[in-house]
Amino acid sequence: MLAHGAQGLVSSGSSSWGESSPEGRHSAKAQPHQAQQGFGAFAADSTPSSHTPPIPGSADFRARHAKKTPEVRTVPSARYLSIASALADEPVAAVSDVRPGQAIGVPVLVIRILPGTYRETLTIDKPVVLVGAEDSYPAIQTTGPDGLVIAGPYASSCVLRKLRLLADRGGHSLCIRESSPLIESCELIGCGGEPMRGAPAGLVVSGALAQPVVRGCRVSGHSGAGMTFTAQSRGLVAACDVSRCACGIWVDGGSDPTFWRNTIAGHHGAGVVIRADGLGLTMGNAILRNGAGGVLVESARRSVTSIAQNRVWANVGCDLRQSPAQPGMTAGESGTLVLSNIVGRQSVATDDGPHAAPGIELMPLWPKRVVHRASELFDAVRDAPRTRMALIEISGCIILEEPLVLDRPVILSGGGFAASRGTARGGGAAELRSSADASAVVVIAPGGETAALWQLTIQLSVGPKVPAGASCIDVAVGRPILVDCELVASTTSGDHVRVGDDRHHPQRPVPTHALRASGEGVAPVLAGCVLRGALGAGALVDRGASARFLQCAFFENQQGGIFIGQGAGLQLEACEVSRNGHFGVVLGSGASRTYIGRTNISSNVAGGIWHCGHAVGARESSAAQPLWLDECSLSVMGAAPTGTTAPAIVVGAGADAVLWDSLFAQSAGKQPVVRSEASACIVVAGDINGSGTSGWGQQLAAMQSPSMSPLTTGGGGDIIWLDISGASHPPASQPSVRPQRTAVEFPPRSHAHHPRPPERAHGTSQPEQTFPAAAAASPPSHESMLATSGTPDQHMGSGMEGWEGQAFPANDGVHARIAPATEDGGADMGTAAVAGHQPRDTFPTGAVEGEVPATPPAETEHLAWLRSSMAAGNGEVQPSERNRMLVFAMLAMLATQNRCPDVLDIAGLGGPLRANDIVFLRGHTGRWFGTRNAAIVCNKPDRASASAFVLETKSSSLKHESKAIFRLVGPPDSPAPPGCHFRLGVTPAFEVRALQRNDGTRDAETSFVVLAASPGPVLSGMVSFLKTVGSGRTIAVEGDAVRAKGQERGTHQRICIEKVPPESEVPVACQDLELTTHEKAWLFRRGVQMALVDKQQIAKFLSSHRPMCKELLRMYTRLWEAEWRRDWSDVLRSGATMADDSGSSPA
């Protein structure tokens, strides 16, 4: 199996990562020879020949797999009436029972929480997954000041998913202490109230061992900060929405978190507050409309913080703000790196309140020098002050005769610099190049712990006497930051430099690195960088160092993308590791915490990831945390020169790994895709229910055997398949062979069209939810959307490359395979179709492996319409019923191919809105209107939980400027008296509430004028504005609050009136088409315009880790920009002005 991978690497392991450097190298250089020798040693322990797996059916085999069966508990149920009771009972398959002494385990217990509100006091100290059932977001009302507590290293593999955590008055929503859990798609809601100093934050993270990952969460309504990081904590906060708190984020106590691509808006105080002893990296965020500045940095700093590539706009006072320095230097002089931010006009507040104080503008006040030659550069570094930052601009290409040692807090910049904004003016490319045989180009030495490199190319010239382990950047101390740099660790000719002159022995390439970090406390940060061309590993992190990489690329490195050595840690976010020799990422024995999030690891010669395991006795004496892959994409090159297939991941003896909601794309072959060696454990966690497998009970237990594995697996370790979808249990009577169903004949799960069912009473136990028994005429399931057919070439970039004939989980736990296509473009099901439809696009059983698929027809009705529409005029089409049906059918085909059913939205199929239609109201935030007591709020995550309205209008169909009444289908609290009902209305205080009215009456408070974007009928899903007849004010959505504040028609006032069509009117997916990237982007763009694509979901899909999404996003952006530029002249001619700019994506 690993003839080309692990076994081949053992012989060259000692030289793959460099040798000890010769005498005479600079004193600050850390030598890597111990880690490299260890690499060769532990590689031998991880080869397949070192362990004989147990024979299937033996007592050893049964004991192992019985002990590792995952467990699912439902709350409430007959056995577990509360969440606390489900947590109190120890899991059957606790990893600590399997390997005593292992402090950090993997999650094998899933607690599935049914809809409702649970008032409990909870402390989690074990690896467990808490997930909301059926995407319902159950509410946990925590009691006490600490809220829900996650504490201790045992809980570092804990996961909270799709939960709503409600803070008690005067308390937190979530408190994380000395732990590193994953918090995903949750809501942390406070009690509101006036902001006050010392009030509790929504999320509090504390402790040097705390490194949580908070992704895709919403934090709102806290009288303190939304998030607080303190007491040397770290962690990653990505793609979150933090709004309407006293301040957004508070960092102090030596904490060093990473805030990446969040929206921080609408706070009473500043969006981000960084105290004098706070570190942190704030990058790529939108910081908008806060009451006391966007970012506030305390002066007289004792730590260095980095603020880069953010959009800071429309805040009261200064967008970038610093406190006065009494005494000491200001933050603009020392302790703050302000790089490449988009900052609005720094205005002075006119309010008299204390929150409106403008403060002092934060702007870089660095002494500056421009250099053109090497001598000038060395002089500039030598003359730079030691107590404050200095900027050195590099012009052109500079060749260095010796390594440039940075022992001052300097910023090396390759472009023009605008000091007032901390942005580049777009200068030419600057390059630092070493002379031949140099040990490094740039060395970070004591005194330069906070140095920065920005928009530079660092080229290591490799000569015949280059020392082993030479690197572009050698980090020996501190926490330097590199932004938008390119590190090239070999000559441009690509010639391999050889060591030794003995012609009778094979010569070995000298290993060089793009980045080398070594030593305790060393923690470089790289963002937007490229590391390529190394003769060794692209990045070598060793001897207790750690590294953070944000949106970096590692490619064309001969001996792997990244190597993590003894005691070293790694955080990868939104990176790409591809086309490297060896494995993409290698974790050596004794490697520390490694988190890889939304990263594409593909096309590496030996395989994707190799965790070499832990030496005998090492894991019992150290709390080694599992390797964690979060929403990553793993694929390989296919057949190696030896004829075997490289593995996606190999986990060595004694190590653990969690593959959380990740994708696998593998070329066809008989070798394992995922390999777990002796005493190792891999947890493959995913939305099994949405991918075609219910994955509960005995079915999961059956899948643990090699003959029933959900992925092609190998090795003598354990591989656990964990369902984190929160789906309900299948009934006991479910047949063993799943029924055949057609694709895309049903509304997606977030688009239920029925009125909201009555809410459950709090504190009552609910029966277990089950799937209905399968029937021939039943509507199709989610898994039918996610299937695929056709040749592997048709699915390039879909995340399913080469899966034909590979093992995959089936709905009933039976081993299923993806079938080749038949002559009519469908899959060979082997049985009859259902309800007259062709049963294509599903996971069949009994497929013939190796059958050659047929070529679909060259031109179909859909393809002909697509190409003619794109060629006609400006490429836009009218939203007629036929056009909507054709676009949806092709979008459904793309969703099936790319396994992204959530991007579809059937609201656009509803057509014209007519009197007495059942409709839903959706705000610009992507959430739906609902009721809280009698108030109207915009916080419902799906239509199933939203409030339904009956549209009342005198017109046969709703048109632009028509008057309408929106009558609630169900009462907000208690039933209305006979002859009365509740309507959407605006009170004299301009609050939007559910108002009680008599049947048949009309009044100005509950009547609205519907203003569409264009004259004519109002279609379902079209953006509209609701202006109340009484006051003339327009309804606006701010966060989850709905008000009638003014007469503007901007982003906050955009409301979509949606009607869900009957299932019979939802078209099925068309047959598979071979479309170009431009055609796919055009379809998604038309889908957004016709309300056939959910904007939030398409944004998640296009920005995801899937390999094809990068090019698709680029093409979609070009289409949108071209249309915007074409229409902008019309806007100017009409005299329209931009009423609002919330930073949201345009329609």
Side-chain angles (χ1 to χ4, degrees):
M1 144 60 189
L2 292 179
H4 187 65
Q7 293 178 351
L9 297 173
V10 174
S11 60
S12 61
S14 60
S15 63
S16 294
W17 307 100
E19 300 174 352
S20 58
S21 303
E23 296 295 329
R25 296 188 67 187
H26 48 80
S27 59
K29 186 76 172 179
Q31 309 300 332
H33 63 279
Q34 293 182 359
Q36 290 143 17
Q37 292 171 357
F39 178 50
F42 57 66
D45 294 336
S46 297
T47 57
S49 59
S50 63
H51 175 74
T52 302
I55 301 174
S58 64
D60 184 19
F61 181 90
R62 290 194 302 270
R64 168 176 297 160
H65 292 290
K67 199 169 189 62
K68 289 298 186 70
T69 300
E71 184 179 359
V72 178
R73 299 171 183 172
T74 300
V75 176
S77 60
R79 182 171 181 179
Y80 302 108
L81 298 178
S82 65
I83 303 173
S85 63
L87 286 170
D89 194 2
E90 288 296 328
V92 175
V95 176
S96 56
D97 296 338
V98 180
R99 296 204 300 271
Q102 179 81 9
I104 310 298
V106 293
V108 292
L109 171 62
V110 176
I111 297 180
R112 176 174 162 270
I113 305 173
L114 296 179
T117 300
Y118 303 81
R119 188 172 180 83
E120 302 189 36
T121 301
L122 299 176
T123 298
I124 300 175
D125 58 359
K126 65 185 68 173
V128 61
V129 178
L130 270 64
V131 58
E134 312 294 348
D135 295 329
S136 59
Y137 283 80
I140 301 178
Q141 177 74 57
T142 53
T143 59
D146 292 335
L148 193 153
V149 178
I150 302 177
Y154 284 89
S156 288
S157 292
C158 169
V159 181
L160 304 184
R161 191 171 196 244
K162 299 179 182 178
L163 302 175
R164 181 175 291 117
L165 307 181
L166 306 179
D168 203 0
R169 186 167 297 279
H172 309 290
S173 288
L174 177 62
C175 186
I176 300 174
R177 301 169 183 163
E178 303 287 357
S179 189
S180 304
L182 171 63
I183 314 299
E184 180 183 59
S185 301
C186 291
E187 295 184 352
L188 281 63
I189 308 299
C191 295
E194 288 297 322
M196 62 183 67
R197 184 179 297 274
L203 168 66
V204 176
V205 182
S206 62
L209 298 180
Q211 301 182 55
V213 175
V214 184
R215 186 185 299 280
C217 294
R218 175 172 170 260
V219 183
S220 181
H222 297 276
S223 56
M227 298 182 180
T228 293
F229 285 78
T230 187
Q232 299 182 345
S233 59
R234 290 170 288 174
L236 171 67
V237 179
C240 292
D241 184 355
V242 187
S243 63
R244 301 177 60 221
C245 302
C247 72
I249 296 173
W250 184 281
V251 181
D252 67 3
S255 299
D256 190 12
T258 301
F259 305 111
W260 169 251
R261 291 184 173 178
N262 304 283
T263 299
I264 306 167
H267 300 285
H268 186 83
V272 179
V273 178
I274 303 175
R275 298 299 304 271
D277 54 354
L279 293 92
L281 172 64
T282 306
M283 189 168 188
N285 303 282
I287 307 173
L288 312 168
R289 292 185 172 83
N290 298 287
V295 180
L296 171 60
V297 182
E298 186 177 4
S299 295
R301 301 199 54 75
R302 299 184 293 274
S303 301
V304 177
T305 186
S306 302
I307 305 169
Q309 298 181 353
N310 301 284
R311 183 190 178 198
V312 191
W313 202 269
N315 299 281
V316 176
C318 297
D319 288 308
L320 293 179
R321 178 183 169 196
Q322 60 183 337
S323 67
Q326 299 176 355
M329 296 184 180
T330 64
E333 296 174 309
S334 178
T336 306
L337 285 173
V338 184
L339 302 174
S340 193
N341 298 283
I342 300 175
V343 182
R345 182 175 60 87
Q346 304 282 59
S347 61
V348 178
T350 58
D351 295 6
D352 296 329
H355 67 282
I360 303 174
E361 181 181 356
L362 173 62
M363 55 184 299
L365 299 175
W366 307 327
K368 172 184 171 182
R369 184 178 294 186
V370 180
V371 299
H372 302 81
R373 294 184 295 274
S375 58
E376 296 176 352
L377 177 58
F378 281 96
D379 291 342
V381 173
R382 184 185 64 247
D383 298 339
R386 292 183 178 272
T387 58
R388 61 178 300 180
M389 296 179 174
L391 175 66
I392 302 176
E393 285 190 10
I394 299 174
S395 178
C397 178
I398 296 180
I399 299 178
L400 306 175
E401 296 297 329
E402 61 183 38
L404 176 64
V405 179
L406 299 183
D407 55 358
R408 305 283 200 280
V410 297
I411 298 102
L412 301 184
S413 173
F417 188 83
S420 62
R421 292 291 182 265
T423 59
R425 292 196 297 263
E431 181 177 348
L432 293 180
R433 181 180 300 179
S434 70
S435 61
D437 305 331
S439 59
V441 183
V442 178
V443 178
I444 307 298
E449 292 86 351
T450 59
L453 283 76
W454 185 24
Q455 295 182 345
L456 289 173
T457 298
I458 311 295
Q459 172 81 45
L460 177 68
S461 299
V462 179
K465 296 182 180 180
V466 61
S471 58
C472 296
I473 306 291
D474 188 350
V475 184
V477 293
R479 182 179 167 273
I481 181 171
L482 286 76
V483 179
D484 294 339
C485 293
E486 183 174 7
L487 310 182
V488 185
S490 65
T491 56
T492 56
S493 64
D495 296 333
H496 295 181
V497 179
R498 304 288 180 173
V499 176
D501 297 325
D502 190 352
R503 298 183 179 180
H504 300 286
H505 298 282
Q507 298 175 340
R508 296 175 287 113
V510 172
T512 61
H513 313 289
L515 172 74
R516 177 176 171 177
S518 180
E520 291 288 342
V522 174
V525 178
L526 286 82
C529 296
V530 175
L531 295 83
R532 64 180 179 88
L535 304 180
L540 173 63
V541 186
D542 195 15
R543 293 186 175 182
S546 62
R548 277 180 283 180
F549 299 94
L550 298 177
Q551 205 169 5
C552 294
F554 304 79
F555 61 92
E556 296 177 358
N557 300 289
Q558 291 188 16
Q559 296 181 10
I562 307 171
F563 176 76
I564 306 300
Q566 177 70 33
L570 173 68
Q571 182 185 91
L572 284 180
E573 175 69 16
C575 296
E576 182 165 357
V577 185
S578 62
R579 306 194 309 277
N580 298 286
H582 202 275
F583 282 81
V585 179
V586 176
L587 279 71
S589 180
S592 185
R593 173 176 171 82
T594 298
Y595 172 84
I596 304 176
R598 292 198 172 185
T599 293
N600 174 34
I601 304 175
S602 62
S603 302
N604 299 288
V605 172
I609 299 176
W610 183 17
H611 192 319
C612 298
H614 297 293
V616 178
R619 68 171 186 261
E620 285 77 9
S621 60
S622 64
Q625 299 191 27
L627 163 66
W628 198 284
L629 275 70
D630 184 7
E631 299 185 21
C632 293
S633 175
L634 298 172
S635 61
V636 295
M637 296 181 65
T642 58
T644 62
T645 301
I649 182 172
V650 178
V651 178
D656 295 328
V658 179
L659 311 184
W660 186 267
D661 205 9
S662 295
L663 295 174
F664 295 87
Q666 177 87 10
S667 297
K670 298 182 179 180
Q671 295 300 325
V673 175
V674 176
R675 186 173 182 88
S676 174
E677 299 295 351
S679 71
C681 180
I682 299 177
V683 172
V684 182
D687 191 347
I688 301 177
N689 182 68
S691 301
T693 302
S694 26
W696 296 94
Q698 297 181 355
Q699 297 175 12
L700 270 178
M703 283 193 286
Q704 304 308 309
S705 66
S707 62
M708 304 290 284
S709 176
L711 290 172
T712 308
T713 60
D718 295 294
I719 297 179
I720 300 175
W721 189 262
L722 197 65
D723 189 346
I724 57 174
S725 66
S728 57
H729 292 255
S733 61
Q734 184 172 349
S736 58
V737 178
R738 54 180 291 214
Q740 302 163 12
R741 295 171 177 179
T742 57
V744 198
E745 287 189 355
F746 62 99
R749 62 169 178 253
S750 61
H751 308 128
H753 61 281
H754 299 290
R756 180 179 58 173
E759 297 203 8
R760 296 180 173 89
H762 300 335
T764 59
S765 299
Q766 302 297 331
E768 297 286 346
Q769 299 183 13
T770 59
F771 288 130
S778 60
S781 62
H782 268 294
E783 51 267 21
S784 63
M785 257 186 96
L786 297 167
T788 180
S789 62
T791 64
D793 293 339
Q794 289 175 313
H795 300 294
M796 290 302 295
S798 66
M800 292 290 293
E801 290 87 338
W803 272 100
E804 183 180 337
Q806 295 296 312
F808 203 83
N811 183 53
D812 53 0
V814 177
H815 184 68
R817 295 181 181 275
I818 298 176
T822 57
E823 294 182 358
D824 57 3
D828 183 8
M829 299 295 298
T831 52
V834 179
H837 294 289
Q838 176 62 33
R840 62 178 182 274
D841 298 337
T842 187
F843 287 109
T845 58
V848 179
E849 186 172 356
E851 182 179 338
V852 179
T855 303
E859 187 85 359
T860 66
E861 176 191 4
H862 296 85
L863 190 59
W865 178 90
L866 171 64
R867 292 175 176 170
S868 62
S869 299
M870 292 181 64
N874 55 16
E876 298 189 15
V877 295
Q878 294 296 323
S880 64
E881 181 177 0
R882 177 177 181 272
N883 289 344
R884 293 197 306 269
M885 292 293 181
L886 290 171
V887 171
F888 186 87
M890 286 184 281
L891 288 172
M893 178 269 298
L894 291 178
T896 302
Q897 289 182 347
N898 295 284
R899 301 191 297 170
C900 55
D902 287 341
V903 304
L904 294 179
D905 192 343
I906 59 176
L909 298 173
L913 299 175
R914 306 182 188 279
N916 298 320
D917 279 344
I918 302 294
V919 298
F920 300 87
L921 301 181
R922 191 176 190 182
H924 72 95
T925 59
R927 294 184 174 263
W928 285 265
F929 280 26
T931 58
R932 181 190 296 157
N933 298 325
I936 299 295
V937 294
C938 183
N939 64 354
K940 302 303 179 182
D942 49 46
R943 294 191 187 97
S945 59
S947 295
F949 298 87
V950 176
L951 178 64
E952 297 182 358
T953 179
K954 293 182 178 180
S955 306
S956 58
S957 62
L958 193 66
K959 298 180 181 180
H960 174 61
E961 297 185 344
S962 295
K963 292 183 180 180
I965 293 176
F966 296 90
R967 174 165 54 88
L968 269 75
V969 172
D973 289 319
S974 58
C980 299
H981 62 268
F982 287 91
R983 299 177 184 173
L984 181 74
V986 178
T987 67
F990 308 118
E991 297 179 349
V992 180
R993 301 179 65 84
L995 303 180
Q996 181 176 315
R997 293 292 186 269
N998 294 327
D999 294 343
T1001 62
R1002 292 180 179 271
D1003 63 307
E1005 289 184 344
T1006 60
S1007 297
F1008 297 88
V1009 177
V1010 180
L1011 303 174
S1014 59
V1018 179
L1019 303 179
S1020 173
M1022 177 185 294
V1023 173
S1024 304
F1025 304 94
L1026 299 183
K1027 184 176 72 172
T1028 177
V1029 173
S1031 63
R1033 297 187 175 225
T1034 308
I1035 289 182
V1037 176
E1038 295 183 356
D1040 60 359
V1042 183
R1043 300 183 179 92
K1045 299 179 62 176
Q1047 299 180 356
E1048 297 87 358
R1049 298 184 196 174
T1051 301
H1052 288 185
Q1053 289 76 26
R1054 294 178 181 175
I1055 295 175
C1056 295
I1057 308 174
E1058 300 177 343
K1059 178 178 69 175
V1060 179
E1063 293 184 18
S1064 59
E1065 296 182 6
V1066 178
V1068 299
C1070 68
Q1071 70 178 45
D1072 285 344
L1073 304 176
E1074 294 187 27
L1075 303 181
T1076 65
T1077 303
H1078 185 208
E1079 291 170 338
K1080 294 177 182 179
W1082 187 89
L1083 279 174
F1084 281 125
R1085 179 67 186 144
R1086 300 290 83 78
V1088 169
Q1089 293 179 330
M1090 297 180 182
L1092 302 176
V1093 168
D1094 187 281
K1095 294 181 183 178
Q1096 279 71 25
Q1097 296 299 329
I1098 190 62
K1100 291 180 181 179
F1101 170 70
L1102 293 178
S1103 61
S1104 67
H1105 53 286
R1106 308 188 188 203
M1108 75 293 183
C1109 286
K1110 182 181 295 185
E1111 184 62 29
L1112 189 58
L1113 175 61
R1114 184 181 297 111
M1115 186 60 66
Y1116 185 92
T1117 305
R1118 290 176 182 173
L1119 281 175
W1120 173 83
E1121 184 177 2
E1123 294 172 9
W1124 180 84
R1125 291 182 182 276
R1126 184 172 60 245
D1127 297 338
W1128 184 242
S1129 59
D1130 297 336
V1131 176
L1132 292 178
R1133 282 193 297 268
S1134 64
T1137 58
M1138 296 179 65
D1140 186 27
D1141 179 15
S1142 68
S1144 62
S1145 299

